[in-house]
Amino acid sequence: MSLVHRPFRGRPRRSDGDRPPLSLTHRAAAAALALSLAGCASVSPDGGERDVQALVARNPIVGDAAPRRAPDDASRQAVDALLAQPLDAQAAVRIALAHGPRMQEAFATLQLSDADRAQAASLPNPVFAFGRLREGRELELDRALSFNVLGLLTLPWQARWAGQRHEVAKLQAAQSVLQLAADTRRAWVRAVAAQQAVVYLRDGQAAAEAGADLAHRMARVGNWSALQRTREQLLLADASAQLARAEQNALASREQLTRLMGLTSAQSAYRLPDRLPPLPVSMPTLTDVQASALRDRLDVRAAQAQAAATADSLGLTQATRFVDALEIGAVRNTTFSNDADGGRSTQRGVELALPIPLFDWGLARNARAEALYGQSAARVRATGLLAASESREAYGGWRSAWDVAHRYQTEVLPLRQKVNDEMLLRYNGMLSSVWELLAETRASMLAVNAAMDAQRDFWLADTDLQLALTGSSPAGLNALQTSGDSVATNPAGAH
Amino acid sequence: MDRRHFFTGAATAVAAASVSRVALAALPDAHTQSSTATAAPLLPPDGRPYNPVVTLNGWTLPWRMNGNVKEFHLVAEPVVREMAPGFKVNMWGYNGQSPGPTIEVVEGDRVRIFVTNRLPEHTTVHWHGQRLPNGMDGVGGITQPHIPPGKTFAYEFVARRPGTFMYHPHADEMTQMAMGMMGFWVTHPKARHPLIAEVQRDFCFLLGSFDVEPGSATPKVNTMTDFNTWAFNSRVFPGIDSLNVRRGDRVRIRVGNLTMTNHPIHVHGHEFEVTGTDGGPVPKTARWPEVTTDIAVGQMRQVEFIADEEGDWALHCHKSHHTMGPMGHEVPTMIGVDHRGIAEKIQKLVPDYMVMGDKGMADMGAMEMPLPDNTLPMMAGQGPFGPAEMGGMFTLLKVRRDQRPGDYRDPGWFKHPAGTVAREVPGDSAPPAASPATPPATGSPDATVRRPAGHGGHAH
């Protein structure tokens, strides 16, 4: 699998020498370039909004919705306009991406990374040292202006590395966008299905109520015993409990959607459509779901970028292995003799401070860098395996969910309807009673509910599949983010 | 029934096609019948003369004389019997019909009956009530080997005593009789008999019961008591022909019971005497007048009377469930139950729902509601004055002064002489009973007594 090998391309400790360490002159040139660029290293004015938008553009989960760093007046008005209509899934995603608190949090995280990047690309400040020494009547003033030369020399690395880190952060932010879009879509599906279930269970409860009412009247005129009447009342009690549970479920799933869209209670009176979208007519066949996941998934790309950045940072570690505090300074020492002639002498020179690698040979630093590299390489492999496996699982889940939902719609429900029709014919012939008719009606409501559950499960599986193929792990962004954080420990910044 | 429906020539050959060639050469024709109409009496073309019977919605099997032996050919086979117009049932029968054709012979005749088995399983025929050699009695495994599918067996005996008999399988008989395998046998007296009167009309039918699930077409053979289709000769009212006679005719009706319960058969407008049983003619000193005679399981009864009252007289089983089509035995009684407010609620869920049974079940006779396929209404039939509200074991004895001798055609509805029909008394309108507004207290020792005010009428 090429994926696994790719991050090893940048491995710096290769012995074949096809990538020799940069020579000092090169480094000086790089430093000069860094100096000239230093003035341009500023934080991005839009907080990475455009970059993230570009990364998620044309993703099927996001559609034409654009993630926004913060709501402005225009987006608030757009949200209000969307809320005035029955809210379809796409509108819910648009609101969540423009308005949702999780979106703002993702952009804030991205901004932090951007700030780090800008910081890393700035020149280290020069150090001015001043000393005033007196010996008898003799006064000595030492002035030294020194630069951390190593910081200067490694500035291009630092800048590049921070830039790479920021690219990873963008990929992660884009994943957050997709996760939010997927979560919103799922919540919308659940909320619509739960609301639909309530409607049908209300019918079921009405059937039970009619049966119980009639049973009561039967008992009152002496046609039925308490046992028979009570059985019908029991059915009603059971149907009412089912309805109450469904109503609670509808409320909870709607609130979940409301939270994801970041709506206030004033905005939460939106309407949902009566039903879920119909199933796609037929099952498309995806020839290679794994390949598409490995090519398109942002978490795979982020892990690869992370590994590349870590590999790159190893070059820096090599360079700073022995000398991690090389300082050069211009020194001007003036000595005042303070004697009668008021004589003074001035020394000018250059001072170089260099730690002697006597105890710290940089081995530990190097080992740490290598371990970090191994960690990120392993993470690339794990992410690749995860993506491939999840894509297969999601595709399988999608197919079976489609199968089940399709079967409900084309077989179970028509057959159920046929049973109802036949039962009515039996009722017509006094071959069965109105209670059997009502029981059949209740059974139908439950079948319709089961069919809706299947339709809901299909749309959930559909969202999972889109996410697994094009975005991220349907379940695993949190784990990824946690592991990403540990890489942020900057090996070059360890001094 | 003014026509003969006997197949001749080619049709007979087709019907017999599956019988082996060797056997065929020796066998009499296997006549078959496709019509469910009552066939006219078969006047004996040869052999000893007799006064033939009429099988209600059935026919008599022709025979051939082989020397001095009367040879018949019965074919046991699956058939589709139309029990009433539009209601067809998959049965097992003989020679195209269930019940099988009536076999008519004369006392003293030597009879040879070939029985071909075209059923999927073995069978035998038991000649119910006959005196015969034990090996001809048709008890599978006991007195003879079973007749395997595709085989033909011959029975041969002398019809020793006159009377009314039946034939039916005695092999897997619960299944085979539940599927409709049965037939009539009449042995006429060879000469005037002191206990057997000459009659102008001689009808016969068998009582059969079936359990046909509404919407299906094959009887449930494992049913023991809860049958839903009660039949005269595998026909149900209004699919049963009437018994049409001339006023003053002496009428004989022979009834055999092959159901699993007794049937009190009741005739309106006349008294009759039971003149014979399976055991033979009843001594005159033992006869008494009746209007209903109970026919127990496995019994035959032969009743006679002079049809001297003109009109359309009901003739039916007196068990009221037996004069009904299929009905839901678990349907609770809805009489007197207030449906106000509930019917609308149910209609919201079941738009085609209609309240039925809250005033009784007569609704069923009047309403034409769609039913499951191939299912009889619980009660049906229209008379000149309205719905007959009948089904099952019910028909009419039609007595007319101008019905010609030997003419069995249905004369139509009786034209009542002026002033002889029950009529409304003008100016009196008593309200119907059972108002749900005044419910009796259920659970009280005397449910008809109204409790003092304040009692909610709840069970306690």
Side-chain angles (χ1 to χ4, degrees):
Chain A
M1 198 190 284
S2 67
L3 175 87
V4 178
H5 294 291
R6 221 180 295 168
F8 288 90
R9 261 192 332 222
R11 192 179 168 113
R13 295 193 66 205
R14 261 184 201 181
S15 53
D16 54 10
D18 64 344
R19 195 176 169 221
L22 294 175
S23 69
L24 249 172
T25 45
H26 281 124
R27 289 184 185 195
L33 184 66
L35 276 171
S36 65
L37 287 176
C40 313
S42 58
V43 293
S44 97
D46 68 347
E49 193 175 86
R50 233 177 325 230
D51 293 336
V52 173
Q53 281 173 358
L55 278 172
V56 300
R58 288 187 304 281
N59 187 293
I61 309 175
V62 170
D64 60 350
R68 302 298 299 268
R69 182 162 56 130
D72 54 15
D73 282 348
S75 71
R76 277 191 206 96
Q77 277 171 13
V79 166
D80 287 343
L82 289 170
L83 289 175
Q85 305 293 324
L87 196 68
D88 65 16
Q90 185 53 36
V93 169
R94 285 168 82 167
I95 294 173
L97 295 194
H99 206 251
R102 258 171 59 180
M103 202 70 274
Q104 290 153 35
E105 190 189 326
F107 274 111
T109 308
L110 182 60
Q111 233 170 334
L112 281 176
S113 143
D114 194 33
D116 287 347
R117 177 191 60 78
Q119 178 68 54
S122 304
L123 277 176
N125 287 329
V127 177
F128 174 70
F130 176 78
R132 186 171 185 276
L133 303 168
R134 184 179 287 275
E135 184 188 5
R137 291 173 50 200
E138 197 174 283
L139 176 70
E140 186 178 324
L141 293 178
D142 296 351
R143 284 148 296 191
L145 187 66
S146 66
F147 284 95
N148 181 336
V149 179
L150 192 73
L152 191 61
L153 288 177
T154 60
L155 184 65
W157 271 307
Q158 303 271 20
R160 194 166 74 211
W161 193 81
Q164 284 166 333
R165 286 276 312 141
H166 187 55
E167 288 308 312
V168 172
K170 278 184 204 162
L171 285 166
Q172 284 174 347
Q175 282 181 75
S176 298
V177 170
L178 295 183
Q179 286 283 358
L180 176 61
D183 286 350
T184 308
R185 197 171 276 269
R186 288 193 201 104
W188 180 88
V189 167
R190 288 203 176 92
V192 173
Q195 171 192 279
Q196 216 178 339
V198 167
V199 173
Y200 279 93
L201 286 175
R202 249 179 221 143
D203 280 356
Q205 201 243 12
E209 201 172 68
D213 268 10
L214 203 53
H216 194 72
R217 296 186 197 183
M218 288 282 282
R220 204 169 56 198
V221 298
N223 297 12
W224 256 10
S225 67
L227 174 65
Q228 289 161 306
R229 183 197 64 199
T230 311
R231 283 206 171 115
E232 293 299 322
Q233 280 178 333
L234 199 58
L235 283 176
L236 172 60
D238 190 45
S240 305
Q242 274 188 41
L243 176 61
R245 212 175 287 139
E247 280 172 340
Q248 166 56 26
N249 185 35
L251 177 80
S253 47
R254 189 185 164 96
E255 282 304 328
Q256 165 75 4
L257 176 62
T258 307
R259 282 197 293 278
L260 286 169
M261 293 192 297
L263 299 182
T264 62
S265 65
Q267 291 171 302
S268 66
Y270 55 87
R271 277 175 300 143
L272 290 170
D274 292 339
R275 60 195 65 235
L276 289 172
L279 288 185
V281 183
S282 61
M283 273 192 298
T285 47
L286 273 182
T287 46
D288 197 351
V289 287
Q290 301 187 65
S292 112
L294 292 179
R295 186 180 60 239
D296 296 338
R297 260 171 71 147
L298 296 181
D299 58 345
V300 175
R301 286 164 62 185
Q304 287 169 339
Q306 186 99 59
T310 309
D312 211 28
S313 79
L314 268 181
L316 177 68
T317 311
Q318 286 287 85
T320 58
R321 178 173 168 185
F322 299 110
V323 281
D324 62 352
L326 175 68
E327 281 180 19
I328 191 165
V331 181
R332 178 187 155 94
N333 287 347
T334 309
T335 306
F336 302 88
S337 53
N338 282 337
D339 49 11
D341 58 358
R344 64 178 183 177
S345 62
T346 298
Q347 301 170 294
R348 288 186 181 81
V350 171
E351 187 181 275
L352 191 70
L354 185 68
I356 302 163
L358 190 59
F359 307 111
D360 181 1
W361 282 72
L363 285 174
R365 211 189 316 284
N366 210 36
R368 175 186 163 79
E370 281 185 43
L372 276 174
Y373 179 74
Q375 200 182 37
S376 63
R379 204 162 283 138
V380 171
R381 184 163 180 272
T383 312
L385 290 174
L386 181 79
S389 164
E390 278 181 349
S391 65
R392 293 190 301 268
E393 181 188 345
Y395 187 58
W398 189 91
R399 284 183 67 104
S400 59
W402 188 90
D403 261 347
V404 171
H406 182 73
R407 193 154 297 231
Y408 263 105
Q409 283 182 3
T410 57
E411 287 176 39
V412 176
L413 291 188
L415 291 173
R416 191 65 247 180
Q417 183 58 44
K418 178 78 176 147
V419 168
N420 287 5
D421 294 348
E422 289 293 323
M423 188 49 89
L424 181 63
L425 294 180
R426 280 179 178 243
Y427 171 79
N428 286 348
M430 291 194 182
L431 299 160
S432 60
S433 73
V434 64
W435 285 274
E436 290 169 272
L437 191 62
L438 289 172
E440 218 58 70
T441 308
R442 280 198 304 273
S444 273
M445 309 304 167
L446 295 180
V448 170
N449 262 336
M452 286 182 328
D453 282 355
Q455 202 180 354
R456 176 200 64 197
D457 291 346
F458 167 77
W459 285 115
L460 293 178
D462 184 65
T463 307
D464 279 354
L465 178 66
Q466 304 291 3
L467 193 60
L469 287 186
T470 64
S472 176
S473 168
L477 185 69
N478 288 344
L480 205 81
Q481 276 177 332
T482 316
S483 62
D485 288 345
S486 71
V487 187
T489 330
N490 180 351
H495 55 162
Chain B
M1 60 173 115
D2 51 336
R3 301 181 305 255
R4 290 177 182 237
H5 295 278
F6 303 138
F7 274 49
T8 54
T12 305
V14 169
S18 71
V19 179
S20 85
R21 209 173 279 270
V22 178
L24 196 61
L27 293 179
D29 289 344
H31 297 271
T32 190
Q33 172 65 284
S34 62
S35 167
T36 55
T38 304
L42 175 64
L43 293 164
D46 48 22
R48 292 190 177 103
Y50 63 84
N51 187 23
V53 299
V54 162
T55 307
L56 200 62
N57 294 100
W59 59 302
T60 292
L61 186 62
W63 64 88
R64 81 176 177 196
M65 293 305 294
N66 187 353
N68 64 344
V69 182
K70 261 187 186 168
E71 289 187 334
F72 295 87
H73 189 175
L74 280 180
V75 179
E77 60 186 358
V79 301
V80 175
R81 173 74 169 179
E82 188 196 55
M83 297 195 76
F87 175 42
K88 294 185 175 174
V89 179
N90 301 323
M91 291 191 192
W92 289 353
Y94 299 93
N95 299 50
Q97 290 291 340
S98 163
T102 299
I103 292 175
E104 285 184 84
V105 299
V106 181
E107 180 187 3
D109 277 353
R110 182 159 201 89
V111 178
R112 187 179 298 132
I113 310 132
F114 296 89
V115 178
T116 299
N117 182 8
R118 287 187 192 154
L119 297 174
E121 68 169 359
H122 67 219
T123 186
T124 62
V125 183
H126 166 59
W127 314 98
H128 184 114
Q130 302 284 351
R131 294 274 182 146
L132 38 60
N134 185 233
M136 294 293 163
D137 198 40
V139 182
I142 301 289
T143 65
Q144 67 160 93
H146 295 99
I147 308 172
K151 298 293 183 190
T152 299
F153 277 36
Y155 292 85
E156 188 166 335
F157 52 89
V158 173
R160 279 159 64 180
R161 62 183 182 88
T164 303
F165 308 102
M166 309 184 277
Y167 62 89
H168 62 80
H170 228 295
D172 190 16
E173 61 203 69
M174 185 195 79
T175 302
Q176 297 189 2
M177 292 212 278
M179 290 293 285
M181 295 193 75
M182 56 187 73
F184 231 90
W185 179 301
V186 175
T187 303
H188 296 279
K190 65 182 168 191
R192 286 191 70 89
H193 190 292
L195 294 177
I196 302 174
E198 296 279 331
V199 296
Q200 284 72 50
R201 311 267 171 171
D202 198 340
F203 296 95
C204 65
F205 56 85
L206 286 168
L207 306 175
S209 60
F210 301 90
D211 184 15
V212 185
E213 177 76 11
S216 78
T218 306
K220 288 154 81 174
V221 298
N222 290 326
T223 299
M224 286 177 69
T225 55
D226 200 11
F227 295 93
N228 63 11
T229 306
W230 304 92
F232 290 172
N233 278 347
S234 303
R235 291 283 284 185
V236 291
F237 184 80
I240 303 176
D241 282 337
S242 51
L243 284 64
N244 311 311
V245 307
R246 181 185 179 87
R247 192 180 70 174
D249 278 352
R250 184 169 188 87
V251 178
R252 180 184 292 135
I253 301 173
R254 307 165 191 255
V255 187
N257 181 3
L258 282 174
T259 72
M260 294 203 220
T261 186
N262 62 313
H263 296 278
I265 296 295
H266 173 55
V267 179
H268 290 204
H270 299 79
E271 316 80 52
F272 57 72
E273 284 180 347
V274 177
T275 58
T277 72
D278 330 38
V282 176
K284 288 197 168 157
T285 51
R287 301 178 186 179
W288 66 85
E290 294 238 43
V291 294
T292 302
T293 186
D294 196 27
I295 305 171
V297 179
Q299 285 190 336
M300 320 283 310
R301 287 291 180 270
Q302 182 180 301
V303 305
E304 288 173 28
F305 58 96
I306 306 292
D308 50 7
E309 294 291 347
E310 272 200 296
D312 294 341
W313 303 107
L315 188 165
H316 60 92
C317 175
H318 218 289
K319 287 186 171 175
S320 51
H321 277 193
H322 296 182
T323 56
M324 286 195 182
M327 56 188 293
H329 296 172
E330 300 303 318
V331 174
T333 304
M334 306 297 291
I335 295 170
V337 178
D338 181 7
H339 277 68
R340 277 174 301 181
I342 291 183
E344 294 76 12
K345 216 181 254 184
I346 298 175
Q347 274 160 356
K348 261 187 221 158
L349 305 165
V350 186
D352 292 334
Y353 168 82
M354 274 182 69
V355 174
M356 287 195 299
D358 59 328
K359 294 181 285 295
M361 290 195 173
D363 291 346
M364 202 49 219
M367 284 194 282
E368 290 237 340
M369 306 272 277
L371 299 182
D373 283 348
N374 203 45
T375 300
L376 280 179
M378 183 170 86
M379 39 173 94
Q382 287 289 322
F385 300 105
E389 297 166 0
M390 288 289 162
M393 294 173 164
F394 180 94
T395 185
L396 292 169
L397 169 71
K398 295 192 172 182
V399 183
R400 298 288 187 275
R401 70 182 67 209
D402 50 359
Q403 190 85 6
R404 290 173 171 281
D407 182 358
Y408 285 85
R409 281 179 297 186
D410 183 350
W413 295 113
F414 182 60
K415 292 172 189 66
H416 298 269
T420 63
V421 177
R423 62 194 183 278
E424 182 184 349
V425 178
D428 185 25
S429 53
S435 162
T438 55
T442 55
S444 77
D446 182 355
T448 63
V449 174
R450 278 186 67 187
R451 287 294 184 96
H455 186 274
H458 298 287
H460 30 190

